[in-house]
Amino acid sequence: MSYDIKENRNACLECGKELYGRTDKKFCNASCKNRYHNRTMEDRRKMIQRMMTDLSSNYAILEKLLNTGIRVINLCDAEALGFRASIITGYSRTKGHNEFRCFDIRYCQSPTRIFNIKRVELGKVKRVSQSPPLRSSCKYR
């Protein structure tokens, strides 16, 4: 009894070589498969890296404000320092204010200012799945 391998005239998704063997085969070898998936995931990795850079920048700005005793700052002034209001790690609505978090730093935000900046104990940070309202009154965006 002979087993015939079905010929598949599809091409490798990475290098374009003709494929033989299984009918659902997509790559000619593991190297092409790895190159293809690394290339397709590159944009996602870059986006995540940009987001982490922006979060780190926001955190450094908020931490500097805390260390200097500043608990209230105009949103335009914060943005002039490099703060990006749309980059957060958490949001909730409390006592009529929008409360935002950047890791363990909590702050309230109105359309014109950031206030009530505080550090939160890590065990007390809650996960909230609400979406924040994104807006800024700054003229120079």
Side-chain angles (χ1 to χ4, degrees), residues 89-92 94 101 120-129:
T89 59
Y91 167 80
S92 62
T94 58
R101 282 181 293 289
V120 180
E121 291 179 38
L122 290 177
K124 294 185 179 183
V125 176
K126 296 180 202 173
R127 287 191 169 179
V128 181
S129 61

Side-chain angles (χ1 to χ4, degrees), residues 49-121:
Q49 185 60 45
R50 280 193 305 269
M51 183 69 71
M52 291 307 296
T53 300
D54 290 341
L55 279 169
S56 295
S57 176
N58 276 3
Y59 188 81
I61 292 165
L62 290 168
E63 192 168 42
K64 186 180 247 185
L65 292 172
L66 274 174
N67 291 339
T68 57
I70 297 172
R71 302 291 183 260
V72 177
I73 187 170
N74 286 331
L75 186 56
C76 291
D77 294 338
E79 288 176 351
L81 294 172
F83 186 81
R84 296 194 49 203
S86 62
I87 308 294
I88 60 173
T89 59
Y91 167 80
S92 62
R93 178 103 176 135
T94 58
K95 298 179 186 174
H97 294 290
N98 295 318
E99 184 179 276
F100 299 86
R101 282 181 293 289
C102 185
F103 300 112
D104 65 332
I105 298 176
R106 176 177 70 188
Y107 58 95
C108 294
Q109 183 177 324
S110 72
T112 59
R113 66 189 180 118
I114 295 172
F115 58 97
N116 202 18
I117 302 169
K118 296 178 183 177
R119 189 173 306 274
V120 180
E121 291 179 38

